[in-house]
């Protein structure tokens, strides 16, 4: 059984990842794809109020489980569109360790800070300043297969650009390059 392709969208909160993911599910016509969003995994957690340390531990386990769920879905042949915020270095490192790099198309989703702030305010479901806090962190690794700017392109245009890129991808992708840079030889099956 061939592994499924993973289209991994990384960007700040309110950058347009979920909108692009929904459009990708509509435009991709070469397999079955599932949208797996980190926000969806967070929403599945029980609503009991947790202390700061307990919440941090729960969120870390949630994200580690999310990463492994992506890998499991792809391993059995499903295409996966991932919607994530790699705002802490360990998140990227964990993804590099558990996801097969040759199956990942890594897409940076960018948006100007003033537009992120406007979207965040209009949404009303995010803490004010969250996107600004994440802004300098999520793209710190500096390597993608493809980048989109939702400040200048619609989610549909970004999805179409990603779709057009997929058959043209050649050579080692960003996940392979990042794995070589950040993980020691032999980690996660030898990288």
């Amino acid at each position: 059984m061939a592994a499924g392709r993973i289209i991994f969208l990384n960007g700040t909160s309110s950058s347009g990842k979920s909108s692009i993911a929904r459009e990708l599910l509509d435009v991709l016509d070469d397999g079955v794809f599932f949208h797996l969003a980190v926000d969806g995994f967070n929403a599945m957690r029980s609503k009991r109020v947790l202390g700061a340390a307990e919440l941090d531990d729960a969120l870390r386990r949630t994200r580690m489980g999310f990463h492994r769920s992506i890998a499991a879905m792809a391993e059995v042949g499903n295409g996966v569109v991932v919607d994530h915020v790699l705002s802490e270095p360990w998140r990227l490192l964990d993804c590099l360790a558990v996801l097969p790099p040759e199956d990942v198309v890594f897409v940076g989703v960018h948006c100007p800070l003033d537009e992120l702030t406007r979207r965040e305010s209009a949404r009303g479901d995010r803490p004010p300043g969250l996107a600004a806090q994440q802004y300098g962190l999520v793209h710190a690794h500096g390597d993608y297969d493809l980048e989109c700017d939702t400040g200048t392109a619609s989610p549909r245009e970004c999805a179409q650009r990603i779709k057009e890129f997929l058959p043209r991808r050649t050579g080692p992708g960003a996940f392979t390059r990042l794995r070589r840079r950040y993980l020691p030889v032999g980690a996660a099956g030898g990288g």
Side-chain angles (χ1 to χ4, degrees), residues 38-73:
V38 72
D39 287 347
F41 269 64
N42 287 334
M44 290 188 277
R45 191 178 63 250
S46 61
K47 303 304 178 210
R48 184 174 66 84
V49 176
L50 303 173
E54 192 178 10
L55 178 60
D56 284 346
D57 187 49
L59 289 174
R60 185 177 184 96
R61 287 192 323 270
T62 300
R63 290 181 178 106
M64 290 176 75
F66 175 59
H67 302 159
R68 283 145 184 83
S69 296
I70 297 163
M73 286 292 284

Side-chain angles (χ1 to χ4, degrees), residues 8-39:
F8 195 116
L9 307 174
N10 176 46
T12 64
S13 174
S14 302
S15 63
K17 300 177 307 296
S18 295
S19 297
I20 293 170
R22 284 189 294 273
E23 294 292 344
L24 278 166
L25 293 183
D26 190 44
V27 302
L28 293 172
D29 54 10
D30 64 340
V32 176
F33 283 83
F34 292 84
H35 174 199
L36 296 183
V38 72
D39 287 347

Side-chain angles (χ1 to χ4, degrees), residues 138-151:
V138 298
H139 304 296
H141 54 81
D143 193 355
Y144 288 105
D145 295 307
L146 182 67
E147 299 184 66
C148 296
D149 185 340
T150 62

Side-chain angles (χ1 to χ4, degrees), residues 14 112-122 129 131-132:
S14 302
L113 186 54
D114 59 338
E115 177 61 13
L116 288 170
T117 302
R118 186 198 66 72
R119 290 177 187 178
E120 187 175 76
S121 177

Side-chain angles (χ1 to χ4, degrees), residues 107-175:
V107 180
V109 179
H110 300 274
C111 184
L113 186 54
D114 59 338
E115 177 61 13
L116 288 170
T117 302
R118 186 198 66 72
R119 290 177 187 178
E120 187 175 76
S121 177
R123 286 176 71 154
D125 65 349
R126 297 289 191 266
L130 179 62
Q133 178 185 358
Q134 298 168 344
Y135 194 74
L137 304 173
V138 298
H139 304 296
H141 54 81
D143 193 355
Y144 288 105
D145 295 307
L146 182 67
E147 299 184 66
C148 296
D149 185 340
T150 62
T152 59
S154 72
R156 184 66 166 219
E157 291 167 332
C158 291
Q160 192 63 42
R161 186 164 174 235
I162 294 165
K163 177 185 176 181
E164 291 168 3
F165 172 80
L166 295 175
R168 295 192 321 251
R169 180 179 174 203
T170 60
F175 253 54

